[in-house]
Amino acid sequence: MKNDALYAALIAFFLNIAMSPFVIPLLQKFKFGQNVRSDGPNSHLKKSGTPTMGGVIILGSMVLTSLLFSINNKELHTILFVTIGFGLIGFLDDYIKIVKRRSLGLTARQKIIAQLVVTGIFAYALKVYLGLDTSIILPFSEGRELDLGYLFWPFLVIAVLGVVNAVNLTDGLDGLASGVTVLVATYFAAIAWAMHSNVLPIAAAAVGSLLGFLLFNSYPAKVFMGDTGSLALGGFVIATAFVMKMPLFILIVGIIYVIENISVILQVAYFKKTKKRLFKMAPIHHHFELSGWPETKVVTVFSIVTAIMCLIGLVAL
């Protein structure tokens, strides 16, 4: 199994860098370019037209690689379903944005219904297909588990929707979501390796795919992942965490996702109450941009924070 991890990472990496030179020109040819929000930072206007929907490359390389290791691997099947399910929702969202030439795709109602459907099937898979109970591992407790009982199911819904959309919010700078998530995926791959978990091949495939994608997505980005990629990665992260019974560890290793999400919630709540902005712009990576930080510095600092928290996450298990 440990050799499988190396093979999965390498295969996904080379698949990604092999697909990208073909897919990116196709996205340009069909004018699948990014529509930059008019209320975003002015520095981002120059990114308008950069090919988006690059998440199909991430998904393609992850799926193809995972299928090589999918025989009798129910954990991999479950995580792959959630990853593809949320990726498809993101694909529809991106496609509508491009066809209608607007910065918003699916309506909020359509998104939440689709996400709840995927989450519901995921909950069923955890209970029936994998046969997992309703307990989760507590951080810093030497592996002690807490049985949530019936509270597990509302907790799962909140956690899945929260993480998936938090990763989506994180995807706002060149290489930010992919850079942070490759570290989170590496963390889960390391834990899966130590535990001899069946999660290992798909976690390793995610690492390899994201490393390949970063060659084209880091500043200045030649392609954006779009909601296709960010929602798929959010699905991968939270599905992996639940299959390994480690959803609370997202609060540690996924601290950037948490901060990005909270910054938006605080901004909206504060503005409704005072008609003033708490941050210069939310999500918070834009606040740092408007405070004078170069885009590359924001990405670097957020990645360093994630790396440190992943090390803390190793100690917390």
Side-chain angles (χ1 to χ4, degrees):
M1 181 179 290
K2 294 178 179 179
N3 287 337
D4 286 351
L6 176 61
Y7 296 145
L10 290 175
I11 292 170
F13 175 78
F14 286 113
L15 274 176
N16 197 297
I17 62 175
M19 293 168 63
S20 294
F22 294 97
V23 176
I24 294 173
L26 279 177
L27 295 175
Q28 290 175 320
K29 179 180 178 179
F30 290 107
K31 301 186 184 303
F32 287 178
Q34 177 73 24
N35 291 306
V36 177
R37 289 169 47 192
S38 58
D39 58 344
N42 291 333
S43 61
H44 286 210
L45 295 177
K46 63 184 179 182
K47 300 182 181 186
S48 183
T50 301
T52 188
M53 293 178 72
V56 296
I57 305 172
I58 300 173
L59 261 181
S61 55
M62 279 185 65
V63 171
L64 290 173
T65 302
S66 297
L67 289 176
L68 298 175
F69 303 90
S70 63
I71 298 177
N72 298 322
N73 191 333
K74 292 184 177 181
E75 290 83 358
L76 186 149
H77 299 160
T78 302
I79 296 170
L80 195 58
F81 165 78
V82 178
T83 303
I84 294 173
F86 281 107
L88 288 175
I89 296 171
F91 179 86
L92 287 174
D93 195 39
D94 284 334
Y95 186 77
I96 292 171
K97 290 175 187 176
I98 292 163
V99 170
K100 296 191 176 182
R101 298 293 181 209
R102 66 188 192 190
S103 59
L104 297 176
L106 293 170
T107 65
R109 180 185 177 86
Q110 291 169 334
K111 280 183 181 179
I112 193 68
I113 291 174
Q115 291 179 1
L116 284 172
V117 169
V118 175
T119 303
I121 298 173
F122 175 49
Y124 178 84
L126 288 176
K127 179 67 175 178
V128 178
Y129 187 58
L130 295 183
L132 296 182
D133 57 25
T134 54
S135 62
I136 57 175
I137 299 173
L138 295 173
F140 302 105
S141 67
E142 297 184 350
R144 188 165 64 89
E145 296 184 4
L146 172 67
D147 190 351
L148 295 178
Y150 290 113
L151 291 177
F152 178 84
W153 307 112
F155 169 71
L156 179 141
V157 173
I158 293 170
V160 171
L161 298 186
V163 170
V164 167
N165 290 291
V167 176
N168 183 239
L169 290 173
T170 306
D171 182 34
L173 301 178
D174 295 3
L176 179 57
S178 47
V180 167
T181 306
V182 74
L183 292 167
V184 175
T186 301
Y187 169 80
F188 281 119
I191 297 298
W193 182 85
M195 292 181 160
H196 304 281
S197 169
N198 287 334
V199 167
L200 184 55
I202 191 169
V207 173
S209 181
L210 285 168
L211 287 175
F213 189 71
L214 273 167
L215 295 176
F216 303 91
N217 182 236
S218 57
Y219 184 87
K222 296 180 177 64
V223 65
F224 299 137
M225 68 172 65
D227 285 359
T228 307
S230 60
L231 293 184
L233 290 177
F236 159 76
V237 167
I238 193 61
T240 301
F242 268 101
V243 168
M244 298 184 72
K245 308 182 80 170
M246 298 173 62
L248 291 181
F249 286 75
I250 297 296
L251 297 174
I252 301 172
V253 301
I255 188 65
I256 294 300
Y257 305 145
V258 176
I259 292 172
E260 295 275 28
N261 212 6
I262 290 176
S263 71
V264 172
I265 294 171
L266 291 177
Q267 183 85 322
V268 172
Y270 189 78
F271 185 80
K272 284 184 176 180
K273 185 173 182 179
T274 67
K275 302 303 178 184
K276 296 180 181 179
R277 289 182 172 86
L278 181 61
F279 304 107
K280 293 182 178 181
M281 187 175 290
I284 201 167
H285 55 256
H286 290 319
H287 171 81
F288 288 111
E289 270 193 292
L290 295 178
S291 297
W293 286 27
E295 185 172 344
T296 50
K297 180 177 180 179
V298 179
V299 173
T300 300
V301 170
F302 280 30
S303 297
I304 290 172
V305 169
T306 301
I308 292 172
M309 296 307 289
C310 284
L311 292 175
I312 293 174
L314 291 175
V315 177
L317 186 60

